[in-house]
Amino acid sequence: MITDDCINCDVCEPECPNEAITQGAEIYEINPNKCTECVGHYDTPQCREVCPVDCIPVHPQYLEDKNQLMLKYQGLMAQKKGVPAS
Ligand code: SF4
Ligand code: SF4
């Protein structure tokens, strides 16, 4: 999740391999259904690496272990494959 310490610096959004980060009404937001904490893509959460104000903690309602995150990653990849190339 992104807290209201976010300064809208825009650097995290392009780093997300799952396109889970979008600009919300006030600050950037993470779609928890798309966030795998970068499992499947990278060893560490890329948004957290780049955020200059360290405002991206794990959402307390989405405490997922590596296996759950990997299953989510696989689901997201299967969804992607199902979308015809445009
Ligand atoms: S942890 Fe990774 S997947 Fe989750 S929002 Fe950040 S960059 Fe995207
Ligand atoms: S990197 Fe941090 S401060 Fe910058 S937009 Fe993302 S969450 Fe906000």
Side-chain angles (χ1 to χ4, degrees), residues 15-18 20-21 30 34-38 45-47:
E15 297 300 324
C16 179
N18 293 324
I21 304 176
I30 294 176
K34 286 185 158 187
C35 175
T36 63
E37 296 176 25
C38 286
Q46 298 299 290
C47 56

Side-chain angles (χ1 to χ4, degrees), residues 1-3 5-13 21 23 27-30 47 50-56:
M1 67 177 279
I2 293 174
T3 72
D5 287 336
C6 172
I7 56 169
N8 290 313
C9 74
D10 307 329
V11 301
C12 57
E13 192 253 327
I21 304 176
Q23 172 81 72
I27 54 172
Y28 276 82
E29 295 172 348
I30 294 176
C47 56
V50 297
C51 181
V53 294
D54 200 14
C55 69
I56 316 183

Side-chain angles (χ1 to χ4, degrees), residues 2-86:
I2 293 174
T3 72
D4 56 13
D5 287 336
C6 172
I7 56 169
N8 290 313
C9 74
D10 307 329
V11 301
C12 57
E13 192 253 327
E15 297 300 324
C16 179
N18 293 324
E19 296 173 359
I21 304 176
T22 52
Q23 172 81 72
E26 304 267 326
I27 54 172
Y28 276 82
E29 295 172 348
I30 294 176
N31 178 346
N33 297 319
K34 286 185 158 187
C35 175
T36 63
E37 296 176 25
C38 286
V39 167
H41 294 282
Y42 301 104
D43 290 340
T44 53
Q46 298 299 290
C47 56
R48 296 181 72 167
E49 298 268 325
V50 297
C51 181
V53 294
D54 200 14
C55 69
I56 316 183
V58 173
H59 195 300
Q61 283 171 11
Y62 292 91
L63 298 177
E64 299 153 293
D65 67 23
K66 280 255 165 10
N67 288 335
Q68 290 170 305
L69 291 165
M70 185 53 86
L71 281 175
K72 195 195 285 186
Y73 163 76
Q74 287 164 351
L76 288 170
M77 289 304 108
Q79 264 179 30
K80 249 190 177 172
K81 279 192 194 150
V83 177
S86 55

